[in-house]
């Protein structure tokens, strides 16, 4: 079937049709050779001229033309799928602007698994990053493959959480699949290439361009059963993914946050608009009972253990903090401690993972 995908890539490069026109062509017929025998009215409807088809005929008649192209892809350690390939994501094939071709590195068989997207802020709080890892790990443990965009922050945490849980993950790139962006995710890129899957609709060598990432997001949502937004501001790109998911008739979920935290306002806004509020894994799994044989009843988020109880009962600082940021001056005044001493104690709690700084203030991280 990959040979067929290479034929379609050759056809795309030959015809040079606008993206929407090429989508119509590949949706109309499974094999590009069939285009040569189209009746005139169908050819006109698909915006194919006689010159187009004469040129395509010459290219397809050239011996080994598609095999040469496939060899180039193999040298780059890249595969390609078309909409008629067995491993093309079935849900993605349902959206109106499904990409005709997908380039990939890694395990393309993952595309036929139950897929679930997890997205969020590029600059998450420690709690947001931890939640992304925990939910991704839990989703992978029940058999879902976690999909995200390999951006900094929540995306990267989601990929890592899924792999740590012994599961699988797919990164949808806004560049060519042979390009790592951002460069700081180079080790994650290589890990996903070996243990998971990297995919992109963009040709090899495509650099990062601003307009490509919103377009990429429709693939993240389109191939997935649902989308969980972990932490997002009101203008976050994650809200674009959520909006596209709604347009594609996918389930949208969001983790709520403090009304005082700007990074939570996007999630809170989604919930007001009808997204399902998520506090534990079961809040997601109950929407997909038909897709999974079983699901754990335990919560996915942070749970209190004996050491947590000890911290809460023994530390006045921890007791004085909540999940809403408190500035250091107010905290020092409430506790009656010098700021220098308070900062030292907060640093100890931060190292142990109990508190975190957010925009110059302090809050609990669990």
């Amino acid at each position: 079937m990959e040979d067929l995908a290479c034929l379609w890539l050759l056809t795309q490069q030959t015809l040079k049709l606008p993206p929407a026109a090429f989508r119509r062509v590949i949706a109309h017929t499974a094999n590009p050779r069939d285009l040569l025998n189209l009746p005139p009215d169908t050819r006109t409807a698909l915006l194919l001229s006689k010159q187009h088809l004469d040129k395509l005929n010459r290219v397809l008649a050239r011996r080994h033309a598609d095999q040469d192209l496939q060899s180039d892809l193999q040298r780059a350690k890249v595969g390609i799928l078309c909409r008629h390939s067995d491993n093309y994501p079935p849900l993605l094939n349902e959206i109106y602007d499904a990409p005709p071709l997908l380039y990939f590195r890694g395990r393309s068989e993952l595309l036929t698994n139950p897929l679930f997207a997890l997205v969020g802020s590029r600059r998450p709080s420690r709690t947001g990053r931890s939640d992304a890892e925990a939910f991704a790990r839990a989703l992978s443990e029940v058999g879902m493959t976690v999909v995200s965009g390999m951006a900094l922050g929540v995306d990267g945490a989601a990929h890592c959480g899924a792999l740590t849980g012994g599961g699988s993950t797919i990164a949808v790139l806004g560049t060519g699949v042979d390009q790592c962006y951002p460069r700081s995710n180079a080790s994650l890129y290589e890990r996903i290439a070996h243990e998971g899957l990297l995919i992109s609709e963009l040709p090899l060598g495509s650099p990062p361009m601003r307009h490509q990432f919103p377009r990429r997001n429709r693939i993240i949502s389109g191939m997935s059963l649902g989308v969980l937004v972990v932490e997002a501001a009101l203008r976050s790109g994650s809200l674009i993914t959520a909006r596209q998911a709604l347009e594609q008739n996918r389930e949208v979920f969001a983790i709520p946050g403090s009304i005082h935290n700007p990074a939570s306002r996007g999630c809170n806004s989604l919930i007001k608009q009808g997204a399902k509020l998520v506090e534990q894994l079961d809040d997601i799994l109950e929407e997909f009972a038909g897709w999974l044989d079983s699901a754990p009843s335990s919560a996915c988020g942070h749970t209190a253990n004996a050491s947590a109880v000890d911290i809460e009962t023994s530390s006045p600082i921890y007791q004085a903090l909540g999940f809403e940021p408190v500035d250091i001056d107010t905290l020092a005044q409430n506790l009656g401690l010098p700021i220098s001493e308070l900062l030292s104690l907060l640093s100890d709690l931060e190292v142990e993972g109990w508190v975190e700084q957010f925009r110059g203030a302090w809050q609990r991280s669990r």
Side-chain angles (χ1 to χ4, degrees), residues 57-71:
N57 187 33
R58 289 194 299 271
V59 171
L60 293 181
R62 193 182 306 149
R63 195 173 181 184
H64 305 310
D66 58 319
Q67 294 178 17
D68 292 342
L69 187 57
Q70 191 167 341
S71 296

Side-chain angles (χ1 to χ4, degrees), residues 72-85:
D72 291 341
L73 292 170
Q74 289 174 347
R75 279 193 292 272
K77 298 181 180 179
V78 170
I80 187 168
L81 300 172
C82 69
R83 290 188 63 176
H84 305 291
S85 299

